[in-house]
Amino acid sequence: MASITLTFSNDINVSAQVGDVAYYVPTATSSSFTINSSSIVTIGVITIVDDVLNQITCNTNLTSSSWPSASDFILFSKDNKANMSSLLGYYAELTIRNNSQSKAEIFQINADYFDSSK
């Protein structure tokens, strides 16, 4: 597996962290608009985020001929299992089970939610 280092002219998004997956979309210009010219391409898992040099390093299976160019749009995604912060939407369901043979009491249940439709 190869390693690729991408250098950005602007600051890296503060949410980017090691373990996120980086992608790129080749872009083209049409009537002074920048549009995506094909599908999203997976670069690989981010292994280093350097905020001082504005660089990220990723492990990748891409060949050097298919690496992103300076005009491509770079994005990243997070694992929802590790980075889910709160409930989204209008409805949530909760099931609580006591698997022991002894009696148990619940003192308090809290929920943090985010109104995702506004």
Side-chain angles (χ1 to χ4, degrees):
M1 182 172 286
S3 180
I4 179 174
T5 299
L6 304 172
T7 303
F8 300 94
S9 56
N10 296 321
D11 292 341
I12 297 173
N13 187 302
V14 296
S15 297
Q17 65 190 70
V18 173
D20 294 346
V21 179
Y23 304 90
Y24 77 93
V25 179
T27 59
T29 303
S30 174
S31 301
S32 74
F33 292 100
T34 301
I35 59 171
N36 64 326
S37 60
S38 63
S39 300
I40 295 174
V41 178
T42 303
I43 298 171
V45 176
I46 297 174
T47 56
I48 299 170
V49 177
D50 187 335
D51 294 325
V52 175
L53 298 175
N54 289 332
Q55 294 179 336
I56 62 169
T57 302
C58 303
N59 288 335
T60 186
N61 290 324
L62 297 175
T63 60
S64 60
S65 62
S66 60
W67 285 2
S69 67
S71 64
D72 293 340
F73 181 76
I74 308 294
L75 60 145
F76 66 94
S77 70
K78 296 185 166 294
D79 181 3
N80 281 349
K81 294 177 184 174
N83 292 288
M84 192 65 131
S85 61
S86 62
L87 301 172
L88 296 176
Y90 295 102
Y91 179 76
E93 184 174 317
L94 174 70
T95 302
I96 300 174
R97 292 190 179 98
N98 179 9
N99 293 330
S100 71
Q101 297 296 323
S102 59
K103 181 179 175 182
E105 294 183 26
I106 297 175
F107 175 72
Q108 182 176 357
I109 297 176
N110 293 323
D112 180 27
Y113 68 94
F114 174 75
D115 191 3
S116 61
S117 66
K118 293 183 182 179

